Amino acid sequence: VSDLGRTGPRSGLRITGAHHLGRTVDVRAVDGVIVALGPDLPEVVGDRVLDARGLALLPGLVNGHTHAAMTLLRSFGDDLHLMPWLEERIWPAEARLTDDDVYWATRLAALEMIRSGTVHFVDMYWHATAVGRAAADAGLRATVSQVLIDGGPRAETPRVDALEASASASLDALSDLGPLVTPSLGPHAVYTVSPRSLERLGRLAEDRRVAVHIHVSETSAEVEDCVAATGLRPPELLDRHGLLGPRTVAAHCCWLDDEELDLLATRGVTAVTNPVSNLKLAAGTFPWERAARAGVAVALGTDGTASNNALDLLADTKVLALVHKAASGDPTVLPAEEAWRTATGAASPLLGGARVEVGAPADLVLVDTDRPEMVPGPLLENLVYAASGSVVDSVVVAGAVVMEHGHVEGAAEVLAEVRARAERIRDGA
Ligand SMILES: [Zn+2]
């Protein structure tokens, strides 16, 4: 369809009567971008209208680290140590997954994230093309990577060429999935990828100018093993192979010393903390205050639903604030506004963080402020300390309404598909 011959302005989305920063405003979005914001905007014939009277307008949340399709393994193998949990429960079940399993499990994750106000998630998983297709079909933004492993630093013959070829093919496939999907590389961790492959993937990331999503220093054992196998701590090893930069998403980062935090800050890495996963697996605690002093960009993630076990990033925002108050013995640490900034990705130049202003992507949530837990009091403090994701009424991603007053298109089909598939995966059939 050509723009030639169009007579009127292009149609878009009009959000009417929302509360924003103490006033009542309308928002107009065209082609996924906010083009007007203010009181009583003139109506445009052909616009879709979202009635937001009584709702608060906010930027959407950004889930900086997850494995969305693990919804199929939700609450599977709880209450185990990290390595037996991975080796005895998760990895054998994952080996049974098909493209379609991953597609529907990611649709379920997208449904849960949309309902709790997430507009963008950063994912690493098997069958990544199916993850990307599911995100695009759900209307959610996603930075998607295929998990890359080759046996790790102790493998005698790591599959270096095959790994690089599959990484490259995955980037190609993910590039075809439309504007909501951003391809990235997902070397799993320093204990599952050999230094030779890390070097290749560092070069590939540079050539293709894509983000690198990797688990870094999640447990103390991981750090000790890395030193024993390579003579280097994980951040040094990654830096040596060009894998620490402004397009790096480093998940967890629980066991970093001050020098390593300085290195992450200097390289412009985004560290993604996953407080609920770290608490559940007793993996460690992100060094919030030391990271802040070093100037590290920090975002918030849920991790997968086998280690959280939900994708409600707003609920995790409260945990983030509470964990670091408790750990520091200081209730003034991580105030609500800082927790909210972290949860919306605003503290990470890479993840961008949605802004409610003309020219910004129309990635917005509308919150029901008539919910009992939202009354009375200031909005941000209530969102962080009183609310969970269930206060979200409507969600807009790239100017498209993906939840309207609690309704998400296709939800029943998604639930049925995942229920039917979960039994086979979990029982080993
Ligand atoms: Zn993870």
Side-chain angles (χ1 to χ4, degrees), residues 65-67 70 124 188 213 215 218 251-252 274 277 303-304 307:
H65 174 68
T66 191
H67 314 280
M70 290 186 88
M124 177 204 292
H188 175 264
H213 184 188
H215 297 97
E218 178 175 3
H252 297 296
N274 301 268
S277 171
D303 211 349
S307 62

Side-chain angles (χ1 to χ4, degrees), residues 15 37 42 54 68 80 85 93-94 138 165 171 176 188 224 227 246 251 261 282 293 302 304 310 321 415 423-424 429:
I15 302 170
L37 171 76
L80 296 173
W85 172 72
E94 285 182 335
L171 290 179
D176 290 336
H188 175 264
E224 287 157 23
V227 173
L261 289 166
R293 269 199 300 278
T302 55
L415 300 183
E423 233 168 287
R424 174 176 53 82

Side-chain angles (χ1 to χ4, degrees), residues 277-297:
S277 171
N278 294 159
L279 284 167
K280 184 162 185 262
L281 290 166
T285 306
F286 180 74
W288 180 272
E289 289 180 283
R290 291 189 294 114
R293 269 199 300 278
V296 177

Side-chain angles (χ1 to χ4, degrees), residues 120-124 141-145 180 182-184 211 213 351:
H120 176 191
F121 68 100
V122 181
D123 201 80
M124 177 204 292
R141 267 186 220 284
T143 299
V144 180
S145 61
L180 293 176
T182 303
S184 64
H213 184 188
L351 300 180

